[in-house]
Amino acid sequence: MNTATTTATASATRAEYCVVACAEAWRDAGEILASPMGTIPSIGARLARLTFSPDLLLTDGEALLMADVPALGAPSGTTEGWLPYRQHLALVASGRRHVMMGASQIDRYGNQNISCIGDWAQPKRQLLGVRGAPVNTLNNPTSYWVPRHSTRVFVEKVDMVSGVGYDRAAAAGPSATRYHRIPEVISDLGVFDFETPDRTMRLRSLHPGVTVAQVREATGFALTIPEDVPYTREPTADELRLIREVIDPNGVREREVPSP
């Protein structure tokens, strides 16, 4: 395992590593719509737009496309387009969007649950509901952000499938697999993907300060773990400046992922 440290590594917080990992999901994405859900994915999308993905489309969270990249929580000063709900659905259906959703539960195949905990007929807890998760996962790239990696979230089997995983997409046939793709799952412990022969979850990188043993203990199923697991790449000095001074000067990211 890579144990090299640098000045940037020493100064970056866990939250900032998570921001960079989220930003990487949109690297060289071209002119597609980024739909980040959560504080750190939102900072990550803005960071990608300001650095290696300048054509990325960002919304104000409602119906406008932003030409500028305002600080988190600040209004946009320049609008470059109108994105009404109908057009937004057209983008989803045509695959010209990469959404990063949350997950109350996620399993080894990438099936995601944001609907309920417990049996569907009489759940212990009602959550958001299925929402647009099935359409997202079958029509455009869908990644996931989990700010608290635990066995309550990373489970052997989700209580209800909201977002479709690789096993269920394969079982449904070509109409489901044609555009289905889960590029990444990012948590406060590391980055995960499904680049395995059976399309089950693999540990791709650890955030600095995290061990493989910690990830195993916090995951409710057996992960594929390579022999040599790299660390998540460190933010550059310019990326740290953008995160701290331009995108999130109030440090909201540290509340979502506090430093260990």
Side-chain angles (χ1 to χ4, degrees), residues 34-48:
S35 292
M37 300 180 186
T39 297
I40 282 179
S42 295
I43 299 169
R46 285 168 165 79
L47 181 63

Side-chain angles (χ1 to χ4, degrees), residues 9-226:
T9 303
S11 62
T13 66
R14 178 73 59 81
E16 289 162 346
Y17 275 98
C18 292
V19 167
V20 166
C22 288
E24 284 289 345
W26 288 288
R27 177 177 283 275
D28 300 326
E31 193 174 332
I32 69 164
L33 180 66
S35 292
M37 300 180 186
T39 297
I40 282 179
S42 295
I43 299 169
R46 285 168 165 79
L47 181 63
R49 166 78 173 261
L50 289 171
T51 53
F52 44 71
S53 295
D55 295 326
L56 201 63
L57 301 177
L58 300 176
T59 77
D60 64 351
E62 294 186 9
L64 299 178
L65 292 170
M66 303 186 299
D68 57 353
V69 183
L72 203 67
S76 171
T78 310
T79 298
E80 67 176 353
W82 184 44
L83 191 65
Y85 195 61
R86 179 179 297 177
Q87 189 172 340
H88 184 274
L89 291 177
L91 281 174
V92 173
S94 64
R96 291 177 293 162
R97 181 177 79 145
H98 184 165
V99 59
M100 187 172 289
M101 300 180 67
S104 300
Q105 293 178 327
I106 190 166
D107 67 21
R108 69 175 74 238
Y109 291 101
N111 294 294
Q112 170 248 32
N113 175 26
I114 53 171
S115 187
C116 65
I117 301 298
D119 186 84
W120 182 84
Q122 192 171 3
K124 298 175 183 177
R125 183 173 299 174
Q126 178 66 51
L127 304 175
L128 289 173
V130 173
R131 309 294 289 251
V135 175
N136 290 342
T137 48
L138 295 184
N139 288 278
N140 53 240
T142 302
S143 293
Y144 295 107
W145 160 243
V146 179
R148 299 286 184 274
H149 191 129
S150 75
T151 54
R152 294 179 64 182
V153 180
F154 289 75
V155 296
E156 183 66 38
K157 183 179 179 181
V158 298
D159 292 339
M160 179 177 177
V161 175
S162 303
V164 179
Y166 279 100
D167 59 338
R168 286 180 174 267
S175 62
T177 58
R178 184 177 181 185
Y179 300 114
H180 177 267
R181 187 163 70 91
I182 307 173
E184 296 179 354
V185 177
I186 300 161
S187 80
D188 59 329
L189 298 185
V191 180
F192 307 82
D193 61 27
F194 299 88
E195 299 301 317
T196 56
D198 58 356
R199 288 298 199 177
T200 55
M201 195 180 295
R202 177 186 73 156
L203 174 60
R204 193 167 83 195
S205 72
L206 293 166
H207 301 325
V210 179
T211 66
V212 168
Q214 282 178 283
V215 173
R216 280 198 176 111
E217 186 178 355
T219 305
F221 52 82
L223 283 162
T224 296
I225 299 180

Side-chain angles (χ1 to χ4, degrees), residues 243-254:
I243 293 168
R244 296 172 179 179
E245 299 176 16
V246 178
I247 305 170
D248 184 28
N250 295 321
V252 181
R253 62 194 178 279
E254 304 297 335

